[in-house]
Amino acid sequence: MLRVLGVLVTVVFACATAVVTWPQFFHLEQTVPFAQIVSMRGVMVGAFALITLVFLLFALARPMRGFAMSMALVAGIGAIAGGLILAQRGYGDTLPPETESSVRVMTWNTAGDATGAEQIAQTAVAMNADVVALPETAQSVGEDVAVQMRELGRPMWVHHVQYNEDVVDGPQSWVTTILITPELGDYAVIDSSREGTSNMPSAVAMPVNGDGPTIVAVHAVAPRPQYMSSWSSDLRWLADQCPAGENVILAGDFNATLDHTPSLAVDGADFGYCRDSAAASGNGGVGTWPTDVPALLSTPIDHVMHSEDWETTGSVVLTNLDDAGSDHRPLVVQLEPAG
């Protein structure tokens, strides 16, 4: 009976390991609790490695050897599989020297006023950012950032979108600000951004003269159990902003990793018809949230995505600002026009 029980436990553990390691295969990547578990893939790999070690120690006891070795084998496969997925996405890259045609995009969920305009401005200028997506950043803070960037020699236009503007002191998550260099031309936030077509305020900025990329400053609702339907609909709406044949750049807090988006990818892309810049440049395994967890264990939910009009030449997650006030790390990406 004990042997049969051990086999059953091992089989159940193997099934659970397969589901949490690759929920996309079972179409469970946007389902509780698998969406939450797979988002922390780095922690999951560490947990499987620890379980492997524990059962290898149990295997020293002869009566448990067969069961313990079977469990260690399954956990080891889970750790290796998860580690290979992260390794494929990459653990770090750098930004190459800028060219005349390059565009640098920075995204940073600043947690409202926690980071401060001065820190945001100095970081954006140091990175020579042409586009700065700032989820949870009020318009007034964005304007202060633009003023300070202008004083530092890098002027920017400020755009924003806010839900329920008549509500005084509403949640900071209701606001998204985007800064765009005048060198890219004049931009305007389109009405659909303001009409609440998604559950969180993502600003869709389009070039006034029609020449240049549509730039979307992204903020999707978080995948808390009570908001899963809203989260899924936000991701679908955002994927729709990456249609075929359009010149698009998305940047912001997607509240999702690449493990959550395969069902929304088309023709080999990562998200709609867009590709993920961090993964394309060997940086997709480095986490951006939360900052109180090491970057190799935290989750990469902040992204820059782009259409086939662009190529990623480099990216970097800034890990030296973990004490700046936000619980997110900035992500900076360099793009070049394709071809």
Side-chain angles (χ1 to χ4, degrees):
M1 287 298 295
L2 289 177
R3 180 174 297 178
V4 172
L5 180 61
V7 171
L8 289 175
V9 170
T10 303
V11 170
V12 171
F13 181 59
C15 292
T17 299
V19 173
V20 299
T21 300
W22 198 249
Q24 304 92 307
F25 181 81
F26 303 93
H27 304 288
L28 295 172
E29 72 274 15
Q30 294 186 18
T31 305
V32 175
F34 306 107
Q36 289 76 16
I37 294 173
V38 76
S39 67
M40 301 296 289
R41 187 176 285 281
V43 173
M44 186 169 60
V45 169
F48 276 130
L50 180 60
I51 293 171
T52 301
L53 178 60
V54 169
F55 277 106
L56 286 175
L57 292 175
F58 284 159
L60 296 177
R62 185 179 296 274
M64 295 186 62
R65 183 163 300 166
F67 171 69
M69 289 300 294
S70 298
M71 293 289 284
L73 177 62
V74 173
I77 291 173
I80 292 171
L84 288 175
I85 291 170
L86 288 175
Q88 182 182 24
R89 293 173 184 169
Y91 287 100
D93 199 6
T94 57
L95 294 173
E98 291 182 274
T99 68
E100 292 183 0
S101 59
S102 62
V103 172
R104 283 194 176 179
V105 182
M106 184 177 98
T107 177
W108 194 3
N109 183 326
T110 61
D113 299 335
T115 305
E118 182 178 3
Q119 181 68 79
I120 300 169
Q122 290 178 350
T123 303
V125 171
M127 293 293 103
N128 288 328
D130 301 292
V131 177
V132 183
L134 300 171
E136 299 192 8
T137 303
Q139 180 183 14
S140 58
V141 177
E143 291 172 349
D144 288 343
V145 172
V147 168
Q148 295 192 42
M149 290 185 69
R150 182 187 63 202
E151 293 175 350
L152 293 170
R154 200 163 188 84
M156 305 288 277
W157 295 119
V158 183
H159 306 276
H160 89 292
V161 61
Q162 179 175 348
Y163 281 180
N164 302 322
E165 295 189 14
D166 55 330
V167 177
V168 179
D169 296 328
Q172 57 197 23
S173 60
W174 283 0
V175 187
T176 296
T177 294
I178 180 170
L179 282 67
I180 304 174
T181 177
E183 296 177 5
L184 290 177
D186 293 332
Y187 275 78
V189 173
I190 64 175
D191 289 340
S192 64
S193 300
R194 307 179 187 279
E195 292 170 356
T197 51
S198 61
N199 297 287
M200 294 292 280
S202 294
V204 181
M206 299 190 70
V208 173
N209 62 1
D211 183 21
T214 297
I215 301 174
V216 184
V218 171
H219 195 192
V221 70
R224 297 185 178 92
Q226 65 270 35
Y227 297 134
M228 293 301 290
S229 177
S230 298
W231 174 66
S232 294
S233 66
D234 269 8
L235 293 182
R236 288 193 299 271
W237 184 85
L238 289 167
D240 288 342
Q241 308 311 305
C242 277
E246 296 293 330
N247 187 356
V248 182
I249 298 172
L250 278 69
D253 178 5
F254 286 66
N255 268 313
T257 73
L258 292 180
D259 290 305
H260 298 123
T261 62
S263 63
L264 303 171
V266 184
D267 286 352
D270 297 311
F271 192 68
Y273 284 88
C274 285
R275 297 192 177 277
D276 182 76
S277 290
S281 58
N283 204 26
V286 181
T288 59
W289 176 89
T291 54
D292 56 1
V293 175
L296 296 184
L297 295 179
S298 54
T299 179
I301 59 174
D302 299 273
H303 304 272
V304 175
M305 305 274 190
H306 61 81
S307 62
E308 61 183 6
D309 302 85
W310 300 91
E311 295 177 352
T312 302
T313 57
S315 67
V316 63
V317 176
L318 302 181
T319 59
N320 62 328
L321 295 168
D322 287 359
D323 59 352
S326 175
D327 56 349
H328 288 249
R329 298 182 179 95
L331 168 66
V332 185
V333 165
Q334 182 162 313
L335 305 176
E336 295 284 352

